[in-house]
Amino acid sequence: MAVQPVPMKTEESSCYRHHMSDGQWHRTLSHLRNSLKNSNWAYCRTLAGAIQEKIAWLDPIMHRYCSLTCRECDDPCCQATKIYFNRADMLYLTVLDREPPPGQTRTEESARCRYLTPNGCSLARAVRPYVCVWFICDAHMTLFQQESGVCQRRFIGNLAEIRQHRLALESLYAQAALP
Ligand code: SF4
Ligand code: SF4
């Protein structure tokens, strides 16, 4: 689905990229949702739907890469302690027509990600922090370079469009938050 961007922010905010209690998480989601409802809600829904659709296209490719590499990995990315949902993630989640995850990736700074299980991430890719969607490690890059040119171009194009849509959500939130 093609979506026309609104006047854009150029960077995502690092706001909320920190540990928080589940209560803080839900209060923040409510605040963001209420703010966007004062904006162009229908457009927000269209943006979130388009993001979800593009992640769905990426999902089988990333899943295949993980199934080929992650079990043998000696430095698993999910054990990093700085991975959090940021504001653009939360804006997207609060607009999306599905249940958001129950909390931030961790309630304590040094804890490991609550969604990491022995079988990998327990979250659907569409509701993970976006850094967990776009991150391509060296092993995955090797596999990506073996894809056809058509696939590579669509992959990169989808990431670019997701970024634009996320920035549009950030922009709408900024506009809605103006006095
Ligand atoms: S760094 Fe790459 S291979 Fe290792 S766990 Fe992460 S995605 Fe899998
Ligand atoms: S949310 Fe999922 S993919 Fe991201 S760090 Fe946690 S377990 Fe890994």
Side-chain angles (χ1 to χ4, degrees):
M1 183 187 306
V3 177
Q4 295 302 313
V6 294
M8 271 312 161
K9 282 190 163 293
T10 54
E11 295 295 334
E12 292 184 8
S13 168
S14 60
C15 208
Y16 308 129
R17 274 197 65 230
H18 53 74
H19 64 284
M20 60 175 75
S21 70
D22 291 352
Q24 286 174 307
W25 168 261
H26 287 291
R27 283 192 295 278
T28 304
L29 285 178
S30 293
H31 159 71
L32 295 174
R33 184 180 175 87
N34 289 337
S35 297
L36 287 183
K37 284 212 156 176
N38 291 330
S39 159
N40 185 339
W41 182 246
Y43 185 45
C44 293
R45 294 289 295 252
T46 303
L47 290 166
I51 292 170
Q52 182 172 230
E53 190 178 291
K54 289 177 190 314
I55 294 176
W57 185 87
L58 296 167
D59 182 58
I61 299 173
M62 303 302 280
H63 185 77
R64 177 164 52 86
Y65 292 176
C66 284
S67 67
L68 290 170
T69 60
C70 296
R71 282 191 191 282
E72 308 298 325
C73 182
D74 55 12
D75 187 18
C77 50
C78 293
Q79 288 182 10
T81 55
K82 302 285 185 198
I83 299 172
Y84 292 103
F85 291 96
N86 68 5
R87 189 169 72 191
D89 290 319
M90 296 179 78
L91 288 166
Y92 160 70
L93 289 172
T94 200
V95 174
L96 205 58
D97 193 16
R98 62 194 287 176
E99 195 67 24
Q104 183 54 283
T105 53
R106 46 186 57 78
T107 55
E108 302 289 337
E109 189 168 9
S110 57
R112 67 179 220 163
C113 177
R114 69 198 289 171
Y115 301 111
L116 182 58
T117 75
N119 296 319
C121 184
S122 59
L123 292 177
R125 198 174 305 275
V127 295
R128 293 176 192 174
Y130 185 52
V131 65
C132 304
V133 175
W134 65 256
F135 175 71
I136 299 183
C137 65
D138 290 348
H140 286 198
M141 182 55 78
T142 299
L143 293 168
F144 179 69
Q145 286 168 342
Q146 294 165 15
E147 303 285 5
S148 68
V150 170
C151 176
Q152 288 186 16
R153 283 192 292 279
R154 186 160 178 198
F155 190 107
I156 291 166
N158 276 348
L159 292 184
E161 286 188 50
I162 291 169
R163 173 178 155 77
Q164 290 303 306
H165 296 341
R166 288 167 59 88
L167 288 170
L169 285 173
E170 284 268 29
S171 302
L172 287 164
Y173 171 73
Q175 287 170 6
L178 285 175

